[in-house]
Amino acid sequence: MSVDPQLRTLEIDIPAQPDSLVKLSLLLADDEVNQQAVAALVQADMALAAAVMKAVNSSLYGLAGRVQSVQQAVTYLGTREIAGITFEMGLRAAFPPAPELQPIWDRAALRGVLMGRLAQAVGLDAWAAHSGGLFEECGKAVLFRHAPDHYRAMLRAAATDGDLIQLEHVGFGVSHDALGAALCDSWGLDPAAVTSVRHHVVAQGLLELPAAPARRAVLALSVIVQALMTVPASIDEVVPAVAPQADLDATLVLRAARRLAEQQAEAMAHGRKAA
C-alpha cells in the first residue's frame, strides 16, 4: 500500500523504525524463525529485555508461573507474541512519554495480542494481525508529538474516533488513521496490517469494510476485537456483520472470539486476585 503523496507535503514528521525493530523484522521474514536469535536480540538491549519480562509476567498473558528469562518467554509465548512486545516497546520509544499516550499504548498491547490470537485461531496471518492491532492508533502519537497542546485539546473534545478524525482534518489537514498507515508503510509492515490501520475508524464505526477484498481479513479482525474490548456481548452481532465481507467463516470466527472473551475475563480476574 503506497503512502498518499499528499502526506509527504505536510510538515509532520513520521519517526524512523528503530534499529532493533529493523533487525527483528529481518528475523521474522525467514520462513523458519530462529527463536534463539530472537531471544538474543532482545537480551542484547537491557531496557527491552526488562520491558519484555515485565509484559510477559503481566495479567495480559495469564501464565501460571513466573517467567524468569527471555528465552523462557520465547519458549512459552512463541516468537510472534515476543515480537509484538518488542515492537510495542519500539513504538513507544519513538515518541516522548506523555500521560495522554499511555492509554493508547495500553490498548495497543491488548489489541495486538487479541488480534494475533484470533487470526491464529481462524488460520490467518497472525503476525500481520498482531502488528495491525498494535499500530492501529499510532497516528495519534504522531500528531501528539507534532502539536502536543493542540492535539491534547482535540483528544479531550472528541467523544469518538470518528469525531476525532474530523477535528484532525480541520486542524492538520490529515487524520490519525492516514498518518498511522503511513508510519506502518514506512516501517515495512504487512500490507494487510497497513490497510487495517488506514480504514479501522470507518470500519469500526459503520461495520463496513471499505478496503479491497483481498486485504479485508485483518481489518475484519480489527472490528471484531474492538467490539471484544469495548462491549464483549456485541460480538454476536458484529461477527456475522463483518466476517462475510472478508470471506471468513462467521461460525468459526464467532467461536474463536467467544473463547478469547472467556480467556480475557479469566486473565482480568487473575490479575485482580494477584493485585
Side-chain angles (χ1 to χ4, degrees):
M1 179 178 180
S2 61
V3 178
D4 186 340
Q6 184 179 0
L7 296 183
R8 303 182 190 278
T9 68
L10 300 173
E11 295 182 358
I12 300 176
D13 291 331
I14 294 176
Q17 186 179 24
D19 288 342
S20 60
L21 299 191
V22 174
K23 295 175 183 177
L24 182 56
S25 295
L26 293 174
L27 291 176
L28 294 176
D30 289 341
D31 291 336
E32 294 185 8
V33 180
N34 187 325
Q35 289 192 345
Q36 291 184 335
V38 171
L41 178 63
V42 173
Q43 288 172 329
D45 185 324
M46 292 181 62
L48 175 57
V52 165
M53 296 304 298
K54 180 180 178 180
V56 166
N57 286 304
S58 71
S59 61
L60 175 61
Y61 291 92
L63 297 180
R66 188 166 184 82
V67 175
Q68 302 292 334
S69 69
V70 171
Q71 187 62 59
Q72 271 188 312
V74 175
T75 300
Y76 286 153
L77 296 182
T79 54
R80 176 182 58 77
E81 297 209 6
I82 293 300
I85 297 170
T86 305
F87 267 74
E88 179 199 346
M89 296 303 112
L91 186 58
R92 286 184 187 229
F95 299 96
E100 291 82 0
L101 297 183
Q102 189 57 46
I104 293 174
W105 305 139
D106 291 342
R107 289 192 298 268
L110 177 58
R111 187 188 303 109
V113 168
L114 293 178
M115 285 180 63
R117 291 179 181 176
L118 184 56
Q120 189 172 36
V122 299
L124 297 175
D125 186 331
W127 175 239
H130 194 140
S131 56
L134 180 61
F135 281 74
E136 188 166 288
E137 297 183 76
C138 68
K140 295 177 181 178
V142 174
L143 286 172
F144 187 88
R145 187 179 74 160
H146 175 68
D149 293 336
H150 191 185
Y151 198 62
R152 187 180 291 114
M154 286 187 181
L155 290 173
R156 288 197 297 262
T160 67
D161 273 4
D163 295 336
L164 182 59
I165 62 173
Q166 293 183 28
L167 293 175
E168 292 166 348
H169 274 295
V170 172
F172 302 109
V174 67
S175 56
H176 73 267
D177 48 359
L179 277 176
L183 186 148
C184 292
D185 189 73
S186 69
W187 284 27
L189 267 62
D190 186 277
V194 180
T195 295
S196 181
V197 172
R198 179 65 185 89
H199 296 292
H200 75 276
V201 176
V202 172
Q204 292 170 7
L206 301 178
L207 299 186
E208 296 178 2
L209 308 184
R215 293 184 180 174
R216 285 179 178 170
V218 173
L219 180 58
L221 300 188
S222 168
V223 177
I224 294 165
V225 166
Q226 175 67 12
L228 195 60
M229 291 172 59
T230 54
V231 187
S234 69
I235 60 174
D236 287 351
E237 289 76 40
V238 172
V239 171
V242 300
Q245 297 180 53
D247 293 326
L248 299 176
D249 183 327
T251 301
L252 177 62
V253 175
L254 185 56
R255 186 183 302 124
R258 286 172 175 166
R259 191 179 307 119
L260 272 182
E262 292 171 359
Q263 293 171 351
Q264 267 307 109
E266 292 173 0
M268 291 177 63
H270 178 75
R272 286 194 293 268
K273 288 180 181 179

